[in-house]
């Protein structure tokens, strides 16, 4: 079932005419005939959760916006930078109007004056293609002044970043968009509140995939949408599968319909060269790693089921590691990522990632001591919950979860007996 | 001091300035234009952008330094960002990167003697399903191996020569 990847059923849906021929912008026109508050309530009732990683209920987020404020913004987070995530790119390349339509519905719902689509700088070609698609929508009267005679005006702009993972964090993204350093803000005030959003105005920040779900919800109603997926994980989810599989790529399924095993072996082609699967990173570098036990492999892919197993679905950037992978090396790769991407604002993250990387390098060079494993575990534990944004916690996960689940991989480098995490 | 960017790229600059209620927001798109004009973010380019965005040159320089896609130093004509992050590394990107550096006879972050290529390793570029991959200036090249890479390098060398001849 493809709610998002409709290009699989309708070739060239990226073109405005094709999109419109297949009911494109009908949901937006329907929304324009609804009261903004009813649009918010419909999205709330659908239980749509943010697809960027946090899984926050989208309609609830929209309802935080104070309607009395004259200037409000919708910001589309297209900074897709989580290791192993490449779904928003495919949406924008192949079904861009569905994103634009979803963003316009969000803008109507909160009565925004403008939409900014913040793309990572590396999406240069995509941003320029998107400008053309926005122009097509404008020519047809869906963007600009007095949209479809509603008396409401809204502009849609693209904005290119320039290479910084942290700008996917919503408050850092807003700073970056304002021409400041892309560093997180102290909250409250939250982006939805006066003083906390773009140019201090109330702002909704939503991920690309999240907004691409909205036209279906408005067109068919929350009840229809809720028939897809599970009670707590409604709708479809795009699973980005990479690493050691024969057929890496994006796969869209209703949440809860398939398990890890089905995704990896039936759809992503299984593990190359007859190797065994060793571990799964369900949410890129930032979510805790899990060993590929039968219990994990038979877990349905939903927010709630993954949480039961001590990890997260996040943005569903699923990286597969086969039996040849040294988990200590993988932990080091992820640590180097977070060390590079730490914005430097909060001490625990800036210093913690630096020291984790230093000690991990020492371990990998064969110069580590058994106490080094305790040391990195301790550093990581002290990075949790003490930074302005979640990057500090994300950076701790590759260490804490790898040591917990794969102590022997560290043992092999340092010898000695390893204590369980938290001891 | 004449503002070359303001004169030469008036329309594009105006387009970006008109997108935001605050001039400062245009600093990132304008830095890309400065980079296009000068090849890198030279002190001249930084000052011109600062003037256009109503900012202090120091602030503009800090923005330039924060992101990986701005050239704070002159680089080769073709700036290659090779992803060696975990998903790509699982698909052989580290070996591919080492082979590429050896082929060009440079170190990580180095520039070839003729000034044609600068090569760096970078973090995830959101193309994990098409590894190994790289970004050359603003465009992605995917499913790479050294055979394909040699062809691309030849093609870019020819483009660099054609460009140099045109300049003269």
């Amino acid at each position: 079932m493809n709610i998002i990847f409709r290009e699989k059923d309708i070739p060239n849906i990226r073109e405005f005419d094709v999109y419109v021929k297949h009911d494109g912008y009908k949901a937006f026109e329907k929304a324009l005939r609804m009261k903004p508050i009813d649009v918010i309530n419909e999205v709330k009732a659908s239980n749509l959760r943010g697809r960027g990683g946090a899984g926050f209920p989208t309609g609830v987020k929209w309802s935080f916006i104070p309607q009395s404020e004259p200037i409000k913004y919708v910001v589309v987070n297209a900074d897709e930078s989580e290791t192993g995530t490449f779904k928003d790119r495919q949406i924008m390349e192949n079904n861009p109007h569905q994103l634009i339509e979803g963003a316009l519905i969000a803008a109507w719902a909160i009565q925004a004056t403008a939409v900014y689509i913040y793309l990572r700088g590396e999406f240069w070609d995509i941003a320029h293609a998107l400008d053309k698609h926005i122009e097509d929508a404008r020519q047809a009267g869906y963007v600009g002044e007095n949209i479809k005679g509603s008396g409401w005006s809204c502009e849609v702009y693209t904005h290119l970043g320039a290479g910084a993972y942290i700008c996917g964090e919503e408050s850092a993204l807003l700073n970056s968009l304002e021409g400041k350093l892309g560093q997180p803000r102290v909250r409250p005030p939250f982006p939805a509140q006066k003083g906390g959003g773009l140019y201090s105005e109330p702002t909704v920040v939503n991920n690309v995939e999240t907004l691409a779900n909205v036209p279906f919800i408005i067109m068919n109603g929350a009840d229809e949408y809720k028939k897809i997926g599970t009670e707590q994980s409604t709708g479809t989810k795009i699973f980005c599968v990479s690493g050691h599989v024969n057929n890496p790529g994006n796969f869209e399924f209703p949440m809860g319909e398939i398990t890890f095993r089905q995704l990896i072996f039936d759809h992503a082609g299984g593990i190359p060269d007859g190797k065994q699967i060793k571990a799964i990173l369900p949410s890129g570098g930032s979510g805790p790693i899990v060993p590929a036990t039968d219990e994990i492999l038979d877990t349905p892919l939903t927010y709630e089921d993954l949480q039961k197993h001590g990890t997260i679905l996040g943005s569903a950037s699923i990286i597969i590691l086969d039996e040849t992978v040294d988990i200590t090396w993988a932990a080091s790769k992820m640590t180097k990522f977070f060390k590079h991407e730490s914005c430097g604002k909060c001490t625990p993250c800036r210093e913690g990632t630096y020291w984790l990387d230093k000690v991990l390098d020492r371990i990998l060079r064969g110069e580590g001591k058994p106490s080094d494993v305790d040391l990195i575990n301790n550093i990581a534990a002290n990075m949790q919950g003490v930074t302005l944004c979640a990057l500090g916690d994300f950076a701790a996960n590759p260490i804490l979860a790898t040591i917990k689940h794969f102590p022997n991989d560290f043992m092999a480098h340092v010898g000695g007996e390893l204590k369980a995490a938290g001891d | 001091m004449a503002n070359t960017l303001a004169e030469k790229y008036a329309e594009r600059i105006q387009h970006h300035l008109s997108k935001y209620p605050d001039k400062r927001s245009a600093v990132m798109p304008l830095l890309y234009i400065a980079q296009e004009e000068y090849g890198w973010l030279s002190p001249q380019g930084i000052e011109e952008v600062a003037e256009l965005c109503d900012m202090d040159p120091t602030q503009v320089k800090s923005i330039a330094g924060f992101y990986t896609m701005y050239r704070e130093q002159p680089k080769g004509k073709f700036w290659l960002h090779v992803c060696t992050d975990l998903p790509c590394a699982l698909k052989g990107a580290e070996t591919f990167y080492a082979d590429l550096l050896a082929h060009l006879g440079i170190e990580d972050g180095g520039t070839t003697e003729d000034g044609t290529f600068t090569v760096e390793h970078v973090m995830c570029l959101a193309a994990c399903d098409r590894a190994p991959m790289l970004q050359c200036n603003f465009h992605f090249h995917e499913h790479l191996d050294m055979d394909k890479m040699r062809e691309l390098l030849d093609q870019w060398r020819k483009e660099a020569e054609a460009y140099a001849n045109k300049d003269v």
Side-chain angles (χ1 to χ4, degrees), chain A residues 147-159:
Chain A
I147 294 171
K148 295 288 167 192
S150 64
W152 167 71
S153 303
C154 185
E155 289 298 329
V156 180
Y157 303 109
T158 59
H159 179 97

Side-chain angles (χ1 to χ4, degrees), chain A residues 83-86 89 116 120-122 125 157-159 161-163 176-179 182 199 243-245 321 333 337, chain B residues 19-21 24-25 28 32 63 66-69 84-85 87 90-91 94 124 126-128 130 135 139-140 142:
Chain A
T83 303
T85 314
F86 43 89
R89 179 185 167 196
Y116 289 96
R120 62 180 299 176
E122 292 86 348
D125 291 333
Y157 303 109
T158 59
H159 179 97
S176 177
L177 192 46
E178 290 181 10
Y199 310 116
H244 286 144
V245 286
L321 312 180
K333 291 295 288 186
F337 176 88
Chain B
K19 283 157 66 172
Y20 315 99
R24 186 178 176 140
S25 278
M28 293 182 74
Y32 280 123
I63 300 293
F66 190 80
Y67 300 94
T68 54
M69 288 177 66
T84 58
D85 209 359
L90 293 169
K91 290 289 192 181
E94 289 185 325
C124 193
C128 323
R130 308 169 199 184
Q135 180 185 21
H139 310 291
F140 282 14
E142 299 160 326

Side-chain angles (χ1 to χ4, degrees), chain A residues 127-140:
Chain A
H128 288 88
L130 213 46
D131 284 339
K132 186 194 150 286
H133 298 309
I134 293 166
E135 189 50 37
D136 287 344
R138 179 194 307 280
Q139 293 299 328

Side-chain angles (χ1 to χ4, degrees), chain B residues 40-56:
Chain B
W40 65 294
L41 295 175
S42 61
Q44 168 82 10
I46 295 281
E47 287 203 14
E48 291 182 13
V49 171
E51 191 188 344
L52 288 162
C53 297
D54 228 350
M55 288 169 77
D56 192 279

Side-chain angles (χ1 to χ4, degrees), chain A residues 306-320:
Chain A
L306 266 71
Q307 207 167 357
K308 274 184 227 152
H309 290 286
T311 188
I312 53 169
L313 184 64
S315 58
S317 33
I318 300 172
I319 307 170
I320 307 300

Side-chain angles (χ1 to χ4, degrees), chain A residues 111-403:
Chain A
Q111 293 288 289
T113 44
V115 174
Y116 289 96
I117 305 176
Y118 185 106
L119 300 103
R120 62 180 299 176
E122 292 86 348
F123 288 171
W124 184 268
D125 291 333
I126 297 171
H128 288 88
L130 213 46
D131 284 339
K132 186 194 150 286
H133 298 309
I134 293 166
E135 189 50 37
D136 287 344
R138 179 194 307 280
Q139 293 299 328
Y142 292 116
V143 174
E145 297 285 317
N146 186 21
I147 294 171
K148 295 288 167 192
S150 64
W152 167 71
S153 303
C154 185
E155 289 298 329
V156 180
Y157 303 109
T158 59
H159 179 97
L160 273 163
Y165 169 77
I166 190 66
C167 292
E169 194 282 328
E170 63 179 11
S171 69
L173 186 155
L174 295 175
N175 273 343
S176 177
L177 192 46
E178 290 181 10
K180 299 172 184 158
L181 286 187
Q183 292 183 318
R185 296 175 177 175
V186 178
R187 280 150 289 182
F190 292 95
Q193 297 171 301
K194 180 79 179 167
L198 186 63
Y199 310 116
S200 293
E201 304 295 351
T203 302
V204 155
V205 185
N206 280 145
N207 166 263
V208 170
E209 184 187 353
T210 310
L211 289 170
N213 272 279
V214 170
F216 182 99
I217 294 165
I218 296 304
M219 200 63 211
N220 303 288
D223 288 339
E224 271 312 297
Y225 188 79
K226 281 197 290 190
K227 287 181 187 163
I228 308 161
T230 67
E231 201 184 328
Q232 290 175 62
S233 303
T234 56
T236 65
K237 180 78 194 80
I238 297 166
F239 302 101
C240 316
V241 186
S242 67
H244 286 144
V245 286
N246 283 311
N247 179 25
N250 284 313
F251 304 90
E252 181 179 0
F253 285 102
M255 280 190 271
E257 188 178 285
I258 59 164
T259 62
F260 272 122
R261 193 189 301 279
Q262 287 166 311
L263 179 67
I264 296 162
F265 292 92
D266 298 347
H267 302 285
I271 316 301
D273 308 321
K275 299 264 178 17
Q276 295 295 310
I277 182 171
K278 179 173 180 176
I280 301 169
L281 282 157
S283 183
S286 61
I289 197 169
V290 284
T293 58
D294 282 339
E295 195 191 348
I296 293 290
L297 285 170
D298 291 324
T299 301
L301 296 166
T302 66
Y303 290 107
E304 60 274 18
D305 285 287
L306 266 71
Q307 207 167 357
K308 274 184 227 152
H309 290 286
T311 188
I312 53 169
L313 184 64
S315 58
S317 33
I318 300 172
I319 307 170
I320 307 300
L321 312 180
D322 78 13
E323 58 185 320
T324 65
V325 177
D326 172 4
I327 300 295
T328 313
W329 168 82
S332 160
K333 291 295 288 186
M334 292 184 272
T335 299
K336 286 187 191 302
F337 176 88
F338 289 115
K339 180 191 165 207
H340 183 262
E341 301 298 351
S342 175
C343 76
K345 187 164 183 168
C346 308
T347 310
C349 176
R350 182 186 67 239
E351 297 296 313
T353 53
Y354 172 85
W355 284 104
L356 287 175
D357 183 48
K358 232 173 146 58
V359 180
L360 274 165
D361 275 351
R362 179 163 79 202
I363 293 172
L364 284 171
R365 282 199 309 269
E367 295 165 11
K369 303 183 289 277
S371 63
D372 281 345
V373 182
D374 294 334
L375 178 63
I376 54 174
N377 213 23
N378 188 280
I379 295 170
N382 280 293
M383 290 162 65
Q384 288 191 302
V386 290
T387 49
L388 285 178
C389 82
L391 198 141
D393 299 83
F394 292 166
N397 278 331
I399 305 300
L400 298 173
T402 52
I403 294 176

